């Protein structure tokens, strides 16, 4: 289930854009390609993390910086015990 997020995301250049769940999914999938199979998440796990973050962003009363969203992704990956994937995600986002 995809959460409809009305909050805006503040990009690095200061521009406010609409929240896009697919950007989280795409970033995790890109990191997934960089790790061995044992460290990967399946598509359901990836979407669950993305949807959880969407819900967190929706509950906020203000626009959210893209870096904060990236930190949320990193935290969720580590909470799931996917440390190698989190490391690959950090490298990918830079």
């Amino acid at each position: 289930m995809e959460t409809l997020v009305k909050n805006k995301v503040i990009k690095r250049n200061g521009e406010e854009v609409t929240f896009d769940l697919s950007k989280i999914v795409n970033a995790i999938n890109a990191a997934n390609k960089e790790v061995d199979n044992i460290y990967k998440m399946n598509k359901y796990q990836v979407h669950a993390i993305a949807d959880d973050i969407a819900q967190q962003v929706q509950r906020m009363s203000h626009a959210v910086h893209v870096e904060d969203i990236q930190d949320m992704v990193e935290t969720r990956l580590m909470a799931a015990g996917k440390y190698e994937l989190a490391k690959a995600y950090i490298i990918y986002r830079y």
Side-chain angles (χ1 to χ4, degrees):
M1 179 184 109
E2 286 192 19
T3 301
L4 177 62
V5 178
K6 296 177 184 173
N7 290 359
K8 296 288 185 178
V9 175
I10 303 169
K11 294 172 57 173
R12 287 180 182 81
N13 66 5
E15 178 185 1
E16 288 191 15
V17 296
T18 303
F19 179 89
D20 186 352
L21 185 91
S22 69
K23 290 189 177 192
I24 294 171
V25 171
N26 292 341
I28 296 173
N29 285 336
N32 247 344
K33 292 177 183 176
E34 301 301 318
V35 298
D36 292 333
N37 285 338
I38 193 168
Y39 303 117
K40 292 183 181 194
M41 291 189 128
N42 64 43
K43 67 180 182 177
Y44 302 106
Q45 293 169 312
V46 171
H47 281 277
I49 286 178
D51 200 47
D52 181 56
I53 291 168
Q55 290 174 25
Q56 283 182 287
V57 171
Q58 180 59 29
R59 287 190 298 266
M60 295 180 173
S61 60
H62 53 78
V64 181
H65 286 273
V66 68
E67 290 89 355
D68 293 333
I69 293 172
Q70 291 170 334
D71 289 346
M72 290 176 200
V73 173
E74 182 183 329
T75 300
R76 289 284 287 129
L77 291 173
M78 289 189 296
K82 297 294 186 177
Y83 303 106
E84 290 295 320
L85 183 58
K87 181 178 173 182
Y89 173 79
I90 292 166
I91 292 168
Y92 171 78
R93 70 183 248 204
Y94 288 107

